Amino acid sequence: MSCLANRYNHFEEKRKKELFVIELSEIGKRIRKARLSRGLTQQELAERCGVTKSLLSKIENGQTASAVATLSKIAENLQTPLAWFLEENHDEHLVISTHKQRTSKIGSKEMGYLYETLANRSRFSKIEPVLVTVPPDMTVTEPFTHPEEEFIYIVSGSIMLYFDGERHLLEEGDTAYFTGSKPHIFLPHGDHEAKVLCVFIQPSST
């Protein structure tokens, strides 16, 4: 009997080590992070989920556990996968992306850029660095817009930046910072490709 008990205890200890237990405070922090990224107040989210503001506040502060049904409603209204709230915690203070791990992707046919994402940050990060390659045979000249602000640094080669009806020649080492909501595009200048470090920045909420 003692042998069976020891084997059972050993099995239970092993099972507990394999289980991932997330703290209520961590779930709450993630809910709050997702809510703020959507620009919602606690009252607005609570009404959408059919719960009281008091309950949502306690959940965000880690003071109470939420039923799976409630958590599912919260995830649905925040357009966030339920698994994101429950997955194992990972360190977002340091993200290393080696050159071998990154993959180049062709941009849209209309843009024709080749680009590499340089950081695998949280989906709620306000900054996205990208390395863009501008091929010398690019012929598209139609400007485009996007909601982010943009900082660019010419790593190699040169480009012609068209911004809001004006053009600017930028060469290796030059930089520019501009509002993405204005029509813009950068095109190759000369017979060689150019590499441009682009940093897209979510505008500050007013």
Side-chain angles (χ1 to χ4, degrees):
M1 197 66 180
S2 176
C3 181
L4 288 175
N6 288 335
R7 290 178 60 184
Y8 175 79
N9 291 334
H10 175 73
F11 173 79
E12 280 296 295
E13 287 298 322
K14 182 180 180 181
R15 184 180 66 85
K16 289 179 181 179
K17 290 180 180 179
E18 291 174 349
L19 289 175
F20 168 68
V21 180
I22 188 170
E23 296 181 0
L24 296 180
S25 60
E26 185 61 33
I27 294 178
K29 288 178 182 178
R30 294 180 185 183
I31 291 175
R32 183 173 185 275
K33 189 175 184 180
R35 175 176 62 78
L36 292 177
S37 74
R38 294 288 177 186
L40 296 174
T41 65
Q42 284 187 340
Q43 184 64 48
E44 290 171 334
L45 180 58
E47 290 177 355
R48 294 186 182 189
C49 297
V51 300
T52 64
K53 178 184 175 182
S54 176
L55 176 60
L56 179 60
S57 178
K58 289 180 179 179
I59 293 174
E60 287 193 357
N61 292 326
Q63 297 174 348
T64 185
S66 61
V68 175
T70 301
L71 193 57
S72 179
K73 287 182 180 180
I74 293 174
E76 180 181 356
N77 282 280
L78 291 176
Q79 298 179 19
T80 302
L82 177 61
W84 188 80
F85 296 118
L86 302 174
E87 69 183 0
E88 185 173 358
N89 190 24
H90 58 279
D91 185 11
E92 291 184 355
H93 297 289
L94 173 64
V95 178
I96 296 177
S97 177
T98 64
H99 182 267
K100 292 181 179 180
Q101 292 176 324
R102 297 197 305 269
T103 56
S104 298
K105 299 179 181 179
I106 298 295
S108 66
K109 183 178 180 181
E110 291 75 15
M111 291 177 60
Y113 294 138
L114 183 72
Y115 66 94
E116 295 179 57
T117 55
L118 300 180
N120 184 24
R121 286 289 291 161
S122 161
R123 60 177 299 182
F124 303 109
S125 176
K126 295 183 179 297
I127 298 177
E128 180 184 3
V130 176
L131 182 62
V132 176
T133 299
V134 185
D137 57 350
M138 183 176 172
T139 58
V140 178
T141 59
E142 186 67 28
F144 59 96
T145 63
H146 52 74
E148 300 87 0
E149 296 177 353
E150 186 172 350
F151 170 82
I152 64 174
Y153 171 81
I154 314 305
V155 179
S156 62
S158 59
I159 64 169
M160 188 65 72
L161 170 64
Y162 290 82
F163 181 81
D164 200 22
E166 297 182 355
R167 63 179 186 174
H168 309 269
L169 175 62
L170 299 177
E171 300 177 314
E172 183 176 331
D174 292 344
T175 65
Y177 192 110
F178 51 88
T179 302
S181 58
K182 297 284 187 179
H184 65 279
I185 189 172
F186 40 88
L187 301 175
H189 181 264
D191 299 327
H192 302 284
E193 71 176 21
K195 289 189 177 296
V196 183
L197 172 63
C198 300
V199 180
F200 296 95
I201 306 165
Q202 294 288 342
S204 301
S205 58
T206 55

